[in-house]
Amino acid sequence: GENVEQHPSTLSVQEGDSAVIKCTYSDSASNYFPWYKQELGKGPQLIIDIRSNVGEKKDQRIAVTLNKTAKHFSLHITETQPEDSAVYFCAASIGDSGGSNYKLTFGKGTLLTVNP
Amino acid sequence: NAGVMQNPRHLVRRRGQEARLRCSPMKGHSHVYWYRQLPEEGLKFMVYLQKENIIDESGMPKERFSAEFPKEGPSILRIQQVVRGDSAAYFCASSPIRGRQTDTQYFGPGTRLTVL
């Protein structure tokens, strides 16, 4: 089955700096890669996702890049703010026979701390 | 539009008792997924259900665990004869009708199960 590795496990940055979290996946058939943000005591919230037919996607201060050849994808957060502090999870999914990417395999998470 | 709702938020059981976790998907969503999160781990897929049907239960232990999503009412994850190793956070997610952004899963706040 699919395996997703995520690094680093913890990341501390100063407010205003950029943060980068990297993930690698094992199965080249994976074609859907969402990123989730989980605040303490809450469920994961989708912040951005990318499909294998594009190499980069951006939404305001958040961007995701995908390198299918190397089987890795990264989350980039620019101009970080204290409210960005949370655990971030990457995930990968192989589409089923009907094209649905319902089965997400998650990385172990990155605890991001943004210091004021 | 209310999000995914889960109850109870916290559940304490003694070894050997039964645990019932409930999940009400977002309005208009007919797909439900259950995930388990162990401390400092990513979420692990357990089961995918549609109304009255189990689509994929490949991530769910064969014994003591069962899930249902009846025609009326919430989805239920049931754990019989709980053991300490069942202590975890259990998250439910839902997604819209197949064919319309099915891949986007919206997570509930989770149920934190503690087995004494």
Side-chain angles (χ1 to χ4, degrees):
Chain A
E2 174 64 283
N3 182 52
V4 176
E5 299 286 338
Q6 183 171 347
H7 299 279
S9 57
T10 60
L11 179 60
S12 182
V13 300
Q14 290 298 121
E15 183 176 0
D17 288 350
S18 295
V20 181
I21 303 171
K22 299 181 179 181
C23 290
T24 60
Y25 58 99
S26 61
D27 197 323
S28 57
S30 289
N31 58 1
Y32 175 64
F33 308 91
W35 284 88
Y36 285 85
K37 175 184 180 182
Q38 186 177 26
E39 296 176 337
L40 192 63
K42 297 184 178 180
Q45 300 298 310
L46 179 71
I47 54 172
I48 196 168
D49 57 11
I50 192 169
R51 297 187 183 275
S52 58
N53 57 346
V54 297
E56 184 174 0
K57 184 175 179 180
K58 190 173 181 180
D59 183 3
Q60 299 182 345
R61 296 186 297 110
I62 294 173
V64 57
T65 59
L66 171 65
N67 184 327
K68 287 191 294 182
T69 303
K71 290 190 284 188
H72 69 69
F73 56 113
S74 302
L75 178 71
H76 304 254
I77 306 174
T78 59
E79 301 172 20
T80 54
Q81 302 165 3
E83 48 266 40
D84 293 330
S85 297
V87 178
Y88 290 81
F89 290 98
C90 63
S93 175
I94 302 167
D96 69 0
S97 58
S100 174
N101 290 94
Y102 66 84
K103 196 174 206 175
L104 301 178
T105 300
F106 284 82
K108 290 190 175 182
T110 296
L111 174 60
L112 173 64
T113 303
V114 180
N115 301 301
Chain B
N1 187 10
V4 177
M5 302 184 71
Q6 291 188 249
N7 67 81
R9 295 292 308 275
H10 300 273
L11 182 61
V12 179
R13 286 287 178 266
R14 296 189 181 280
R15 281 179 297 169
Q17 292 185 319
E18 178 180 286
R20 280 185 181 238
L21 289 63
R22 297 176 197 79
C23 168
S24 295
M26 287 179 69
K27 186 177 181 181
H29 288 193
S30 59
H31 301 243
V32 166
Y33 317 83
W34 285 93
Y35 291 81
R36 176 164 64 176
Q37 184 179 34
L38 295 171
E40 300 184 8
E41 294 279 329
L43 286 78
K44 304 289 187 188
F45 170 83
M46 298 181 73
V47 62
Y48 163 33
L49 310 104
Q50 295 177 19
K51 286 285 188 181
E52 300 184 281
N53 285 304
I54 296 175
I55 307 302
D56 183 344
E57 56 182 350
S58 59
M60 199 156 66
K62 295 284 189 288
E63 298 182 355
R64 301 189 298 109
F65 285 72
S66 63
E68 63 177 8
F69 189 15
K71 187 176 181 181
E72 301 291 338
S75 175
I76 306 286
L77 179 67
R78 182 184 178 201
I79 311 173
Q80 295 178 292
Q81 300 175 334
V82 296
V83 301
R84 290 212 173 115
D86 296 333
S87 295
Y90 292 82
F91 290 95
C92 167
S94 72
S95 66
I97 295 172
R98 189 178 186 89
R100 299 179 189 173
Q101 298 181 317
T102 306
D103 299 339
T104 303
Q105 297 183 20
Y106 298 86
F107 282 81
T111 293
R112 279 148 186 86
L113 172 66
T114 301
V115 179
L116 302 177

